[in-house]
Amino acid sequence: MRSRRSCLAVPGSNPRFLEKAQGLPADEVFLDLEDSVAAGAKEQARKNVVAALRDGDWTGRTRVVRVNDLSTAWTYRDVIEVVEGAGDRLDCLMLPKVEDARQVSWLDTLLTQIERANGLPVGRIGVEAQIESARGLVEVDAIAAASPRLETLVFGPADFMASINMKTLVVGRQPPGYTEGDAYHYVLMRILMAARAYGLQAIDGPYLQIRDLDGFAEVARRSAALGYDGKWVLHPSQIDAANEVYSPGQDDYDHAERILEAYERATTVDGRGAVMLGDEMIDEASRKMALVVAAKGRAAGMRRTPPS
């Protein structure tokens, strides 16, 4: 499992930002060819992204390129030029505004053709699908099942809010007048259920008020509590908060590892299906819950606290 606690957006049209991103502690960096790049800069942005992937040092980070959506004239050239130019340095392509499983299948087929033509391992490059509209949400189960390359479903809140005519211009905050519950809860849970049903990660979208770190952390805690794996970050100042919110607490991580260790001994050495760990009875269900926490902690590079 790739760690995606913080997914940093970097405009492909800005070489200075592409260089700076290489030294930032984000788990994932996605080099953007879509919304952050003006129409007249698209072709140069492709070249910038290929050069950054080939010449840059992205050690320890998941390397992603977001191509343009399939309603545009740019998508196929984005995929071809990026993968032919730097496919061996690329982990995933992100496809925005996905509304139909056939769009993911199209990308899978094109990737396979390019990989075969260029001697790249077929199927190694993954896909991230952005859910950004009412139709995309309605079709999310089929989208999640569309390709074995799919690794992640990503919530795109701004376009989604526009697609349902939500009465607000502030992305991430509750709309004015909505005083009962969370206006985004259904959307987040719907995406999460589809992701988990097909073994995918789920990533929350961006919080646009980049100077409001308290607001960012509050919104991040909302999706982290549901089980999301990470969140987009639009500014370096948001990275540390995302990494903290989407990581297990050290005590929880230590406890999860102890549960796994005790259950392994109980089942393989002692021949029991349940065992006491202190005052807590643990069994197979405990193991499954502990495995989730431990896997996230390991992916984030956490280490157990040494016994005192």
Side-chain angles (χ1 to χ4, degrees):
M1 182 176 68
R2 303 185 199 272
S3 185
R4 287 182 165 99
R5 299 168 300 172
S6 50
C7 301
L8 177 65
V10 184
S13 55
N14 192 315
R16 183 172 65 86
F17 285 4
L18 291 169
E19 182 177 359
K20 181 179 180 180
Q22 296 169 41
L24 298 174
D27 286 347
E28 172 179 302
V29 177
F30 74 87
L31 314 182
D32 191 25
L33 298 175
E34 199 215 11
D35 283 349
S36 67
V37 178
K42 298 284 189 184
E43 292 188 11
Q44 183 59 49
R46 290 188 199 127
K47 295 179 174 63
N48 295 344
V49 163
V50 169
L53 287 170
R54 294 220 63 84
D55 302 333
D57 181 3
W58 304 97
T59 304
R61 297 165 188 81
T62 297
R63 303 156 296 178
V64 179
V65 172
R66 181 168 72 162
V67 299
N68 286 277
D69 77 88
L70 277 166
S71 70
T72 72
W74 299 299
T75 320
Y76 81 104
R77 292 303 314 169
D78 289 344
V79 178
I80 291 169
E81 291 188 25
V82 168
V83 178
E84 286 187 344
D88 59 332
R89 310 293 176 90
L90 182 66
D91 295 310
C92 293
L93 287 179
M94 186 187 302
L95 186 63
K97 299 177 176 64
V98 177
E99 295 192 328
D100 189 299
R102 289 172 295 183
Q103 295 175 329
V104 177
S105 298
W106 172 88
L107 181 55
D108 187 332
T109 299
L110 182 56
L111 278 171
T112 297
Q113 293 176 337
I114 299 169
E115 288 167 340
R116 286 175 175 164
N118 290 272
L120 298 170
V122 173
R124 188 193 64 79
I125 298 172
V127 171
E128 299 187 357
Q130 274 191 276
I131 307 301
E132 302 187 74
S133 68
R135 184 181 174 194
L137 189 67
V138 169
E139 298 291 333
V140 71
D141 289 325
I143 291 168
S147 168
R149 293 182 187 268
L150 203 61
E151 296 186 13
T152 309
L153 296 179
V154 182
F155 177 41
D159 282 284
F160 186 88
M161 291 158 63
S163 84
I164 64 171
N165 297 339
M166 186 175 278
K167 189 180 177 181
T168 181
L169 291 172
V170 183
V171 175
R173 292 180 182 168
Q174 300 301 309
Y178 197 91
T179 59
E180 299 295 330
D182 181 352
Y184 303 98
H185 180 76
Y186 171 75
V187 182
L188 290 169
M189 285 299 291
R190 189 71 188 83
I191 292 171
L192 182 64
M193 292 304 102
R196 295 300 187 247
Y198 293 96
L200 310 178
Q201 290 184 303
I203 303 300
D204 195 6
Y207 186 77
L208 272 59
Q209 287 71 43
I210 59 175
R211 292 184 176 86
D212 180 12
L213 292 182
D214 290 339
F216 174 88
E218 179 183 351
V219 171
R221 284 192 290 268
R222 176 188 66 191
S223 61
L226 296 176
Y228 270 65
D229 299 287
K231 187 171 180 65
W232 273 20
V233 293
L234 301 180
H235 190 271
S237 64
Q238 297 176 331
I239 294 174
D240 287 343
N243 287 345
E244 179 181 354
V245 169
Y246 292 96
S247 293
Q250 186 65 50
D251 289 345
D252 289 339
Y253 174 70
D254 290 342
H255 187 53
E257 293 287 12
R258 286 196 298 271
I259 288 174
L260 294 176
E261 188 177 78
Y263 189 73
E264 174 73 11
R265 177 177 177 82
T267 54
T268 61
V269 178
D270 301 333
R272 291 180 287 166
V275 65
M276 294 298 295
L277 180 61
D279 295 329
E280 178 183 9
M281 174 69 74
I282 60 173
D283 57 12
E284 173 61 15
S286 306
R287 184 194 70 83
K288 291 176 181 176
M289 292 188 293
L291 192 59
V292 170
V293 175
K296 286 190 175 185
R298 293 168 187 172
M302 296 181 72
R303 297 291 183 267
R304 289 179 66 174
T305 303
S308 56

